[in-house]
Amino acid sequence: MSQNVSSLLYIVSGVLFIMALRGLSHPTTSRQGNLYGMVGMGLAMLTTLVGHPPAGLGAWMLVLLGLAIGGGAGAVIAKRVPMTAMPQLVAAFHSLVGLAAVMGAAATLYAPQAVGILENGHIHKESLFEMALGVAIGAITFTGSVIAFAKLDGRMSGKPIMLPQRHAINIAMGIALVALIAIFIGTESKAIFWLIVLLSFALGGLLIIPIGGADMPVVVSMLNSYSGWAAAGIGFTLGNLALIITGALVGSSGAILSYIMCKAMNRSFISVILGGFGGDTAAAGGGQVETRPVKQGSADDAAYIMKNAERVIIVPGYGMAVAQAQHSLREMVDLLKKDGVEVKYAIHPVAGRMPGHMNVLLAEANVPYDEVHELEDINGDFPQADVAFVIGANDVTNPAAKTDKTSPIYGMPILDVEKAKTVLFIKRGMGSGYAGVENEVFFRDNTMMLFGDAKKVVDSIVKNL
Ligand code: NAP
């Protein structure tokens, strides 16, 4: 296959990736978006295989074996993973992208003749630069993603861990990394290459360890962005247009998503990216669990209150996802609507454990899209609502985000549920949410707690309706 044909096919796959991103931006078109992405990736792989066929049967076997193991494992994992474990799965997959960038750069360094980057027996300086940058970002992504996985999967505390002198250490390591990259470009030394890898592994861990609970969604998307830039760097070294396009798309979309989430949580993008800068307030938070009395109600009470309401706003959160209560919830809403109650859903941008988590679950239960509203569109409606029905959400309704400067969630916009006439909270007990802080709304006069598993409570409300 000529160079021109393969470049053209790579551009076609790039266009398919852009169409995939466009499709994934809305639940109605997301399946189609996924399909475009799959076709684009299939085309890019085929073009690479036909354009640069593996040399000999052994190499073919290795490629096919890699495809079978990777594809097989991916399919099994994707089928089995519960929706609630998706963020840690994404983090785990990013770690593999980072590791692939490290392996790709190492392979290129050890066999530069295979990718045609040699001149007079030496590797081109620009290729050495791309390789060093790609491997550094790849290694940072690898350990950073492993730590993010451990935190999200509960294998490591989600609380920020503040290492002494961490800013000074990070800056010193950053400077050392730049110096090593410069030496590597000058000397082509394999030992320096591996030092870059080791230092970047350490830096990746140190950057993510201080980042705590509420900032984790941003971290996952930021690591996504890093993994894209690492792939693009290696794409330049290998002269692979598809890798450059895909890497740049992943890199920029991840960066844009991180920025949007930072705005949604009122965090500074720079402070999150630099790993815990300004996170000291977060570390100081984590209020004590109180034992004040709360008003407790039954499913019967909740059914009565909602049946007699005119306007109900539903606020879903992580607990709804854990309990898989979305189908029962839809059933409950259908009954309320039959009784003439106006029902809307309010979605906080970081409700649940990944961006769009609640939208996906509600779409799965066939909740009409026009009933689902984003925070800024619906927050003004709470004062007119008779009932705010909070199902398994906590942090995203916590007014401490507005009033308590020492709180880890201070500055995050919240859904103003306490402004509704009555607030119903479904949760199993008085446990705190992801950020580990007490929610003052539980103790308000207009709040009624409905203790129990979200699905079971909603099922019994349905019976009482
Ligand atoms: P949350 O603050 O974590 O609270 C969830 C609540 O659900 C808990 O207080 C828990 O209380 C309750 N719960 C758990 N299992 C339940 C069950 N089976 N039935 C009923 N209730 C159950 O959730 P959120 O309000 O959705 O806020 C999301 C938090 O996660 C934010 O702090 C956000 O920053 C963080 N985060 C978000 C993302 C993202 O991208 N969306 C990613 C990572 C982290 P009980 O134990 O008392 O039942």
Side-chain angles (χ1 to χ4, degrees), residues 87 152 213-218 220 261 265 316-320 322-324 348-358 391-397 409 412 426-435 442 451-455:
L152 286 167
D215 284 341
M216 253 315 142
V218 184
V220 172
M261 278 198 278
M265 303 199 301
Y318 175 65
M320 181 190 81
V322 178
Q324 287 291 300
H348 190 282
V350 294
R353 290 294 180 269
M354 63 178 182
H357 200 169
M358 297 300 119
I391 168 166
N394 189 348
D395 293 347
V396 300
T397 66
I409 55 170
M412 177 169 99
I426 301 189
K427 60 205 300 291
R428 295 160 309 172
M430 291 301 287
S432 54
Y434 190 77
F442 300 163
F451 288 125
D453 173 77
K455 185 173 179 330

Side-chain angles (χ1 to χ4, degrees), residues 239-252:
N240 187 312
L241 196 59
L243 207 51
I244 299 171
I245 297 176
T246 333
L249 283 176
V250 173
S252 46

Side-chain angles (χ1 to χ4, degrees), residues 251-309:
S252 46
S253 55
I256 293 168
L257 183 60
S258 308
Y259 176 75
I260 293 174
M261 278 198 278
C262 279
K263 277 193 87 174
M265 303 199 301
N266 199 22
R267 307 279 300 164
S268 137
F269 186 50
I270 298 295
S271 71
V272 175
I273 290 270
L274 293 185
F277 260 94
D280 299 331
T281 347
Q288 313 86 22
V289 175
E290 293 193 39
T291 46
R292 282 181 283 164
V294 291
K295 205 189 291 170
Q296 208 174 320
S298 64
D300 192 11
D301 299 329
Y304 179 80
I305 293 171
M306 284 196 287
K307 220 162 45 180
N308 290 296

Side-chain angles (χ1 to χ4, degrees), residues 294-306 329 332 387-393 422-430 442 447-462 464:
V294 291
K295 205 189 291 170
Q296 208 174 320
S298 64
D300 192 11
D301 299 329
Y304 179 80
I305 293 171
M306 284 196 287
L329 183 69
M332 182 190 94
V387 179
F389 184 83
V390 187
I391 168 166
T422 305
V423 189
L424 301 176
F425 261 102
I426 301 189
K427 60 205 300 291
R428 295 160 309 172
M430 291 301 287
F442 300 163
T447 297
M448 180 186 277
M449 305 297 288
L450 306 165
F451 288 125
D453 173 77
K455 185 173 179 330
K456 289 195 184 127
V457 174
V458 177
D459 281 340
S460 47
I461 294 177
V462 168
N464 282 291

